[in-house]
Amino acid sequence: MGEWFNDNASAIIAASAALSGAVIAAIFAFINNTQNIRAAKLQRSEQYDFEKWKANRQIYIEKGEEAIGLITSLLNAFLGVVNASTLDVVMTHEHGISDSVKNQLIDNKSGDNLNRLDTIIISYFPELIEHKSQMIKYYQCGIHSYIESAMGKREKSAVAIELLDIQSKLTESANLFKNKISEIISKHL
């Protein structure tokens, strides 16, 4: 048997070298394949994160634009009522709510706009809830003052001055609210 080994030693060495080379090549192929799989997985993950960021960015921009439009609509509706109330008080309407104020209140579509704005603010801009509340508070204060005047509980000149102040505060509040939304949107650009 030793003779056979000696006669075939070079073939055995060559076969061993070939087998060792194949094993080493397989190990390197496995390592390379594993690295390729990891790299592909990382690339898919990064692509998914980018697409998610892009979709969120678009949603924030769209919802921000919609919220700004709703705030403008609410401001116009609120100012319509407050302006009609101011004119009624200044024109020294006796007692009761005038027809112009009633019509403004009836035609006022602020309820639907306010509900939609609530949904958007709570969902996308919860840190701005106080701005919406402040705007509504000014509006309610104006209505309350007008009703007190219409009932004869407050002097008309004082109510007129207060309503003019409320018009200014409503506009300031709405503009601040819209600016805050714009700032948040700009962070997503």
Side-chain angles (χ1 to χ4, degrees), residues 72-86:
T72 300
S73 294
L74 280 174
L75 176 63
N76 292 336
F78 290 171
L79 285 176
V81 173
V82 175
N83 287 338
S85 301
T86 305

Side-chain angles (χ1 to χ4, degrees), residues 79-93 98 100-101 104 146 156 159-160 163-164 167:
L79 285 176
V81 173
V82 175
N83 287 338
S85 301
T86 305
L87 286 174
D88 189 40
V89 169
V90 170
M91 304 285 275
T92 62
H93 179 75
S98 72
S100 64
V101 175
Q104 281 290 329
Y146 172 73
K156 291 185 179 288
V159 171
L163 288 172
L164 289 170
Q167 288 176 25

Side-chain angles (χ1 to χ4, degrees), residues 29-48:
F30 176 76
I31 291 171
N32 189 32
N33 192 28
T34 303
Q35 287 176 340
N36 287 342
I37 290 170
R38 284 185 186 153
K41 186 177 180 181
L42 179 63
Q43 184 179 13
R44 279 192 310 273
S45 175
E46 288 173 352
Q47 183 66 29
Y48 172 78

Side-chain angles (χ1 to χ4, degrees), residues 37-153:
I37 290 170
R38 284 185 186 153
K41 186 177 180 181
L42 179 63
Q43 184 179 13
R44 279 192 310 273
S45 175
E46 288 173 352
Q47 183 66 29
Y48 172 78
D49 290 344
F50 175 74
E51 292 299 326
K52 183 178 171 184
W53 171 83
K54 201 164 85 172
N56 284 340
R57 174 183 168 264
Q58 189 61 35
I59 287 172
Y60 265 93
I61 291 169
E62 289 171 5
K63 296 306 175 186
E65 289 172 347
E66 184 179 359
I68 288 170
L70 289 168
I71 293 166
T72 300
S73 294
L74 280 174
L75 176 63
N76 292 336
F78 290 171
L79 285 176
V81 173
V82 175
N83 287 338
S85 301
T86 305
L87 286 174
D88 189 40
V89 169
V90 170
M91 304 285 275
T92 62
H93 179 75
E94 289 308 312
H95 292 295
I97 298 175
S98 72
D99 289 339
S100 64
V101 175
K102 284 180 192 174
N103 290 337
Q104 281 290 329
L105 288 168
I106 290 168
D107 294 339
N108 192 326
K109 304 288 186 229
S110 62
D112 292 338
N113 290 339
L114 194 55
N115 288 338
R116 182 67 187 140
L117 183 61
D118 270 345
T119 301
I120 292 172
I121 297 302
I122 289 168
S123 300
Y124 298 97
F125 309 100
E127 66 273 25
L128 301 180
I129 289 173
E130 186 56 39
H131 290 280
K132 179 192 66 77
S133 299
Q134 186 63 52
M135 208 174 140
I136 293 168
K137 193 182 301 179
Y138 287 136
Y139 174 66
Q140 290 172 338
C141 183
I143 296 297
H144 185 262
S145 294
Y146 172 73
I147 290 172
E148 285 184 337
S149 172
M151 294 172 64
K153 292 184 175 183

Side-chain angles (χ1 to χ4, degrees), residues 159-174:
V159 171
I161 291 169
E162 186 176 338
L163 288 172
L164 289 170
D165 185 49
I166 286 172
Q167 288 176 25
S168 174
K169 287 179 178 177
L170 262 172
T171 303
E172 268 181 48
S173 176

